[in-house]
Amino acid sequence: MLELTVEQISMGQTAVDKPAALQLLADLLVADGLVAEGYLAGLQARETQGSTFLGQGIAIPHGTPQTRDLVHTTGVRLLQFPEGVDWGDGQKVYLAIGIAAKSDEHLRLLQLLTRALGETDLGEALRRASSAEALLKLLQGAPQALALDAQLIGLGVPSEDFEELVWRGARLLRRAECVGNGFAAVLQQVEALPLGDGLWWLHCEQTVRQPGLAFVTPAQPLRYLGQPLNGLFCLASLGEAHQALLERLCTLLIEGRGQELFRATSSRTVLEVLGGEVPVDWPSARITLANAHGLHARPAKILAQLAKAFEGEIRLRLPETGQAAVSAKSLSKLLSLGAHRGQVLEFIAEPSIAADALPALLAAVEEGLGEEIEPLPTLALEPVVAEVIQPLVQAPVAGALIQGVAAAPGIASGPAHVQVLREFDYPLRGESPAVERERLQQALAAVRDDIDGVIKRSQAKAIREIFITHLEMLDDPELGDEVEQRLRQGESAEAAWMAVIDGAARQQEALHDALLAERAADLRDVGRRVLAQLCGEADVALPDAPYVLVMEEVGPSDVARLDPARVAGILTARGGATAHSAIVARALGIPAVVGAGASVLLIAQGTPLLLDGQRGRLHVAPEPALLQRSLAERDRREQRLQAARARRLEPAHTLDGHAIEVFANIGESAGIAAVVDHGAEGIGLLRTELIFMAHQSAPDEATQEAEYRKVLDGLDGRPLVVRTLDVGGDKPLPYWPIEQEENPFLGVRGIRLTLQRPQIMESQLRALLRAADNRPLRIMFPMVGQLEEWREARTMVERLRQEIEVSDLQVGIMIEVPSAAILAPVLAREVDFFSVGTNDLTQYTLAIDRGHPTLSAQADGLHPAVLHLIDTTVRAAHAHGKWVGVCGELAADPQAVPILLGLGVDELSVAARSIAEVKAQVRELNYEHTRQLARDALAQGSAADVRALVEIL
Ligand code: PEP
Ligand code: MG
């Protein structure tokens, strides 16, 4: 960050005019190596666009965006001109602060500088300063204003004693960013001063960033040191900022008005009594700032000029910072906000001028305040972080084909119904805590009823479970406590609720854990529903004709509310195939494509769309012929499915007699009979971690044995391929604390973890061997990447086998890590079989997180690089007489089935509901043709090319 130091200051300079001063400055910046020759032209160009005079004898000359390339290092140089330089319009400059900035780092400097300057006229003092130190002191030493606003008042806070009340006061100061960590602890050590009337005073200077005063009163009568404790002031003291307030407080106490403070029922009353920043109930309007370099001097100046044209008060604040509003007429105050591109500006205007002023101000900001602006992404619901580079998004043209992530199979067509999440406008301050509490309770009750209804109506267990979690979120006591705190501080029900939901969701998102990120999406979903209730917004009426719903991201509750008879398909801009919304869509049988990119949100309402949920494709305004073909394909598919279901129990042979086994992937021991009835010839992947996750604590050997036995019993002699525990990294077990990792997918997971905890692996292996009796049991290890890992695991199995007899056991590994596939010729000598986990193999081969919200569409297992690894694996296995299965999602992808068959894979393991379809597809294929197809696929350069090959088939 830019800092001001004495070394940057050159005292006693002279310049006959502004051009001479700029020349001097440019020479200095070049001499100090901050910029290249030619920067002067930038300084001059900037002045012709608009003067950089800041006020109070200060100008801040800087280059234009075009001359940024000439900046070597961001920095500032300060020139003092005691005789003054005419900066145009009769404005005299005594201090020129020359800025060389590569980006907008200098905004922060300006923010600090202008905060320090305040409204007092420093020009004369700057002119007279006799040393660099004195000048710096003037810039830095000006007293900062004392923060005292509604967020620093806590009335009736639950506290049992003095210490707790002190802690509450310190917390308010911490939240307002007046103090750093540790302030509360230091404040506890300070001796409290009784002011009379049961009011107490504490102050401390340590870790103070900005002077601020908090006032808290206890919910119940308290005493301290034998005296009543009715209210406590906690001062974060810095300089003299609090003097005026202290004097006012003393007068108040002398007048015997102390009880007005602790009897106050609203923070507004307290602020009025103390003369703090009283929240106004004036009309307000919000807009997101789009200027590339934020609200820097030039646009701020234009804004201030415009505001000055209105006769009445206009304030501006950045709602996201929680800081007090500043006068929109003051350039230095505007700069002190340090507003960046993407931040929301809230203008608040006196009622008499609001109707004229607010639209004019919004229009000016929208037009760029004198600068060319690049529009913000249309759907940024959250303020866009300035550093994030947002690609320019355009609406897809008619005939466009967009590849997204296949989330729920099926073909859908219909007019687009684009639903963009609405932004709700609500007051930040509430009427009173009691009124707001009541409103919130009513909204929560309504949402609860609504969710209860969905749970009752839902046939699918997956949907019910998600909504039961939503109910729990609504009743979460921790969230409730925080909301209550805010309500007591005078916030409106909407503001309190959303601040807490947003904070909790952000916390979960920050942990970079796929599961928690989904929880965060659920939390935001619940949050939005309650907010909509509070704002009295009913759900938007949906069109009657079956339509394709287009949204940025669909919350599970949005999907579950949909009527499958009216919603033909779902298309989202963001999200991955594993999101809850995708699960719900599958459960409801609504075809869905997710993660199709922001452009889909720009599709005009009613545009005909054709969606292929199997291939993850979207056709925008498709040609009638294509539409017809696709709908015919949909009908054919439906008929095929019916026919396939009738033959689900028969084996799958190609037309030329080649057999492939079709097994099922499962994650629980229950329902095994139904899986067999779907046509499973065995279980190709039992994800045992799901069994572990279903228990409150690690299941012991006997419990596990019972679970595995249940599966084997249900299989009635069919083989069971079990994967040992695959947890760690992104799949933690709640009762098994694992150190947080920077990059969990590349961390301690799968076999790496179980080898570190051999007793867990041993008890699982024992349970499996004991459950086997004489039935066919196949054990495989997940995430093997090194030969040693496999050998260590195998040695353990062999040792246990000495104790527990099993007659039909095979031991193998999953091929999920590229190193294992490449090493397959070596591994194949030792293993009994391989099972290819294409989900992980793809993510590790292509270096794309499988749950990535925007990239996962490219994580396609039909990428030729992945196919080469499968090919290597199959060749190596067959050379040693071993078999290969595929148990990742790719095994059920209709475009992948012929290729996997052609590569020589012996078994496909898929979700039970896909078995009939996969078998039916195999029956229509010719093995010799698929061999050729696989060879051709290996020669392609991209997954898209491979898919195109299959398309032709
Ligand atoms: C795979 O990675 O393909 C696989 C089947 O394992 P999981 O999806 O459970 O990681
Ligand atoms: Mg895996």
Side-chain angles (χ1 to χ4, degrees):
M1 194 187 85
L2 274 180
E3 299 267 2
L4 286 179
T5 63
V6 284
E7 289 75 32
Q8 299 158 347
I9 303 176
S10 303
M11 302 295 290
Q13 304 294 309
T14 50
V16 287
D17 54 15
K18 180 154 124 177
L22 293 180
Q23 177 74 60
L24 207 59
L25 192 60
D27 290 348
L28 185 61
L29 291 172
V30 171
D32 285 357
L34 297 181
V35 298
E37 298 278 353
Y39 195 64
L40 175 63
L43 295 180
Q44 289 164 340
R46 178 60 189 78
E47 296 294 336
T48 41
Q49 287 169 0
S51 164
T52 62
F53 183 75
L54 192 63
Q56 299 150 39
I58 301 176
I60 47 164
H62 52 278
T64 57
Q66 291 74 29
T67 49
R68 276 189 178 188
D69 291 349
L70 299 176
V71 176
H72 299 316
T73 317
T74 295
V76 289
R77 291 295 177 266
L78 289 73
L79 300 184
Q80 184 212 29
F81 295 108
E83 291 166 20
V85 178
D86 184 354
W87 219 258
D89 297 333
Q91 286 156 338
K92 272 260 185 276
V93 164
Y94 299 107
L95 180 68
I97 304 178
I99 300 170
K102 278 187 172 177
S103 66
D104 51 6
E105 300 111 306
H106 65 293
L107 268 187
R108 175 81 185 131
L109 175 73
L110 282 182
Q111 190 182 2
L112 293 177
L113 190 65
T114 48
R115 249 184 217 166
L117 291 179
E119 292 293 275
T120 49
D121 186 5
L122 278 190
E124 194 52 27
L126 290 170
R127 182 172 84 81
R128 277 200 261 113
S130 56
S131 66
E133 286 77 11
L135 196 139
L136 194 57
K137 220 166 175 183
L138 280 173
L139 293 177
Q140 292 178 331
Q144 273 182 282
L146 179 77
L148 173 60
D149 58 23
Q151 65 169 340
L152 285 165
I153 311 287
L155 299 179
V157 296
S159 37
E160 305 229 312
D161 52 22
F162 180 77
E163 279 72 32
E164 199 174 345
L165 200 59
V166 173
W167 183 79
R168 298 274 180 189
R171 212 167 145 205
L172 295 182
L173 288 163
R174 177 82 185 88
R175 248 199 235 159
E177 297 194 354
C178 290
V179 299
N181 289 331
F183 180 82
V186 186
L187 202 63
Q188 296 280 5
Q189 313 300 323
V190 176
E191 199 176 323
L193 187 71
L195 299 176
D197 279 348
L199 294 169
W200 294 75
W201 177 273
L202 275 179
H203 74 265
C204 170
E205 290 179 356
Q206 287 185 41
T207 79
V208 174
R209 294 182 185 150
Q210 183 201 343
L213 182 70
F215 178 64
V216 278
T217 62
Q220 65 198 54
L222 291 182
R223 294 185 74 78
Y224 181 58
L225 299 179
Q227 298 184 38
L229 169 57
N230 297 329
L232 172 70
F233 289 96
C234 299
L235 173 71
S237 153
L238 194 66
E240 305 298 304
H242 60 280
Q243 274 313 332
L245 180 119
L246 197 56
E247 280 163 26
R248 193 178 164 84
L249 185 57
C250 288
T251 317
L252 218 100
L253 293 168
I254 291 166
E255 289 170 359
R257 295 172 55 203
Q259 39 185 296
E260 286 179 31
L261 289 169
F262 61 80
R263 295 231 171 107
T265 50
S266 77
S267 47
R268 191 184 182 92
T269 313
V270 176
L271 293 170
E272 273 165 2
V273 174
L274 289 176
E277 175 98 21
V278 180
V280 289
D281 281 334
W282 293 347
S284 65
R286 294 180 177 198
I287 185 164
T288 306
L289 186 70
N291 295 57
H293 308 302
L295 196 57
H296 63 95
R298 199 161 138 233
K301 195 170 206 167
I302 292 178
L303 190 57
Q305 274 163 359
L306 178 60
K308 279 184 197 156
F310 294 95
E311 275 188 19
E313 213 176 316
I314 301 172
R315 298 190 196 170
L316 178 61
R317 64 190 279 271
L318 307 182
E320 118 195 21
T321 65
Q323 284 169 6
V326 301
S327 165
K329 299 184 177 186
S330 160
L331 174 60
S332 63
K333 293 278 180 192
L334 287 179
L335 290 174
S336 75
L337 291 172
H340 286 268
R341 172 176 159 88
Q343 271 187 313
V344 174
L345 308 181
E346 184 177 48
F347 290 98
I348 307 158
E350 238 181 86
S352 59
I353 55 163
D356 295 331
L358 292 178
L361 291 162
L362 292 200
V365 174
E366 199 170 5
E367 279 160 23
L369 297 167
E371 293 190 321
E372 287 269 318
I373 50 167
E374 189 128 312
L376 290 160
T378 340
L379 285 146
L381 290 172
E382 308 268 345
V384 178
V385 181
E387 288 76 24
V388 175
I389 299 161
Q390 295 286 345
L392 194 60
V393 182
Q394 287 179 345
V397 292
L401 168 64
I402 295 176
Q403 181 69 51
V405 180
I411 289 172
S413 82
H417 175 66
V418 185
Q419 241 184 45
V420 177
L421 289 179
R422 285 155 295 157
E423 272 208 58
F424 293 106
D425 249 347
Y426 49 83
L428 299 179
R429 314 302 309 169
E431 212 176 303
S432 74
V435 170
E436 298 302 310
R437 195 175 297 122
E438 177 59 27
R439 291 183 56 232
L440 183 60
Q441 290 312 335
Q442 283 178 5
L444 288 171
V447 174
R448 229 176 261 130
D449 278 357
D450 190 23
I451 296 180
D452 269 336
V454 179
I455 294 173
K456 286 198 189 99
R457 284 196 303 277
S458 302
Q459 310 284 327
K461 187 170 163 234
I463 296 182
R464 282 199 304 277
E465 276 172 3
I466 289 169
F467 284 99
I468 288 168
T469 318
H470 281 197
L471 277 185
E472 277 165 19
M473 286 174 176
L474 282 179
D475 294 328
D476 184 324
E478 275 199 28
L479 295 184
D481 281 356
E482 279 191 52
V483 173
E484 176 59 25
Q485 268 272 356
R486 287 179 170 267
L487 293 181
R488 281 171 194 264
Q489 286 164 24
E491 289 187 17
S492 66
E494 293 90 339
W497 171 253
M498 286 314 283
V500 172
I501 291 288
D502 190 50
R506 273 173 203 260
Q507 253 179 20
Q508 297 189 345
E509 284 155 354
L511 296 176
H512 300 296
D513 174 302
L515 284 175
L516 286 181
E518 275 170 21
R519 286 292 90 75
D522 285 340
L523 203 53
R524 289 194 190 282
D525 186 32
V526 172
R528 267 203 317 267
R529 295 223 157 257
V530 176
L531 181 63
Q533 275 291 338
L534 282 167
C535 295
E537 294 268 349
D539 282 343
V540 181
L542 300 168
D544 283 337
Y547 58 90
V548 175
L549 176 66
V550 186
M551 290 181 82
E552 184 179 30
E553 202 166 13
V554 199
S557 53
D558 295 316
V559 185
R561 271 177 185 75
L562 300 178
D563 177 357
R566 288 167 67 193
V567 181
I570 295 170
L571 171 69
T572 71
R574 303 202 318 173
T578 57
H580 270 149
S581 41
I583 298 172
V584 179
R586 282 195 287 271
L588 288 174
I590 303 178
V593 172
V594 298
S599 70
V600 299
L601 299 167
L602 303 178
I603 292 173
Q605 298 286 8
T607 308
L609 298 181
L610 173 64
L611 194 108
D612 184 341
Q614 187 85 50
R615 300 185 177 97
R617 283 188 194 165
L618 166 77
H619 292 273
V620 180
E623 295 278 320
L626 172 65
L627 187 62
Q628 262 184 3
R629 264 204 319 276
S630 301
L631 294 182
E633 185 190 329
R634 180 182 65 185
D635 296 343
R636 276 199 307 277
R637 181 168 180 265
E638 194 40 51
Q639 283 164 7
R640 264 205 322 271
L641 273 180
Q642 300 242 348
R645 276 185 214 120
R647 295 186 61 194
R648 68 191 186 282
L649 299 175
E650 297 171 24
H653 288 159
T654 59
L655 293 169
D656 47 351
H658 178 83
I660 187 162
E661 293 180 300
V662 186
F663 281 28
N665 291 348
I666 59 167
E668 56 181 5
S669 54
I672 187 71
V675 173
V676 171
D677 188 49
H678 270 101
E681 296 169 87
I683 297 299
L685 168 64
L686 168 57
R687 289 181 161 106
T688 55
E689 63 277 4
L690 297 179
I691 291 182
F692 272 64
M693 283 173 191
H695 286 82
Q696 297 298 317
S697 56
D700 60 14
E701 204 176 302
T703 313
Q704 287 190 59
E705 185 184 329
E707 295 268 15
Y708 306 142
R709 239 176 223 290
K710 224 193 276 176
V711 180
L712 283 155
D713 291 350
L715 282 173
D716 197 20
R718 297 174 183 84
L720 166 64
V721 183
V722 181
R723 170 171 81 188
T724 59
L725 199 56
D726 182 17
V727 292
D730 69 316
K731 283 193 275 188
L733 277 178
Y735 44 81
W736 197 357
I738 295 166
E739 253 180 58
Q740 211 184 330
E741 294 174 301
E742 182 78 10
N743 201 336
F745 274 127
L746 301 182
V748 185
R749 64 172 291 207
I751 194 161
R752 294 178 189 162
L753 182 65
T754 39
L755 285 178
Q756 284 179 11
R757 315 220 179 162
Q759 66 293 2
I760 300 230
M761 172 116 112
E762 192 167 320
S763 94
Q764 180 172 38
L765 290 173
R766 274 178 195 284
L768 280 167
L769 298 180
R770 282 193 204 289
D773 292 337
N774 293 323
R775 294 163 303 182
L777 175 66
R778 322 279 173 245
I779 297 176
M780 62 183 181
F781 302 102
M783 300 297 302
V784 173
Q786 319 266 2
L787 188 63
E788 295 70 31
E789 289 168 342
W790 147 250
R791 286 188 177 157
E792 211 179 311
R794 180 193 53 185
T795 306
M796 193 182 281
V797 177
E798 275 169 4
R799 181 165 49 78
L800 295 172
R801 228 181 144 171
Q802 310 292 317
E803 297 169 27
I804 310 160
E805 209 179 309
V806 267
S807 60
D808 189 357
L809 176 70
Q810 292 182 6
V811 188
I813 62 168
M814 288 192 73
I815 299 286
E816 298 181 285
V817 183
S819 62
I822 295 165
L823 218 59
V826 177
L827 285 161
R829 291 187 215 131
E830 304 181 16
V831 301
D832 292 323
F833 67 95
F834 291 126
S835 179
V836 186
T838 48
N839 307 337
D840 277 314
L841 187 61
T842 307
Q843 84 161 340
Y844 292 125
T845 305
L846 302 181
I848 296 177
D849 182 338
R850 60 193 269 186
H852 195 284
T854 54
L855 293 177
S856 55
Q858 294 171 44
D860 189 334
L862 278 186
H863 192 288
V866 181
L867 297 181
H868 274 285
L869 293 175
I870 300 177
D871 184 48
T872 306
T873 306
V874 174
R875 283 173 191 277
H878 289 180
H880 291 87
K882 313 290 168 64
W883 62 272
V884 179
V886 172
C887 63
E889 296 302 306
L890 196 69
D893 180 335
Q895 288 187 298
V897 169
I899 295 179
L900 295 175
L901 191 66
L903 286 171
V905 167
D906 304 286
E907 172 244 81
L908 297 173
S909 191
V910 300
R913 64 174 184 283
S914 302
I915 292 174
E917 205 179 353
V918 170
K919 282 185 174 179
Q921 194 187 358
V922 170
R923 290 186 196 114
E924 287 172 4
L925 294 168
N926 181 304
Y927 181 56
E928 280 317 311
H929 292 171
T930 63
R931 299 288 292 166
Q932 183 56 47
L933 175 71
R935 277 194 290 277
D936 292 346
L938 289 171
Q940 301 305 311
S942 70
D945 289 347
V946 173
R947 288 195 181 272
L949 273 185
V950 189
E951 201 75 36
I952 301 164
L953 195 74

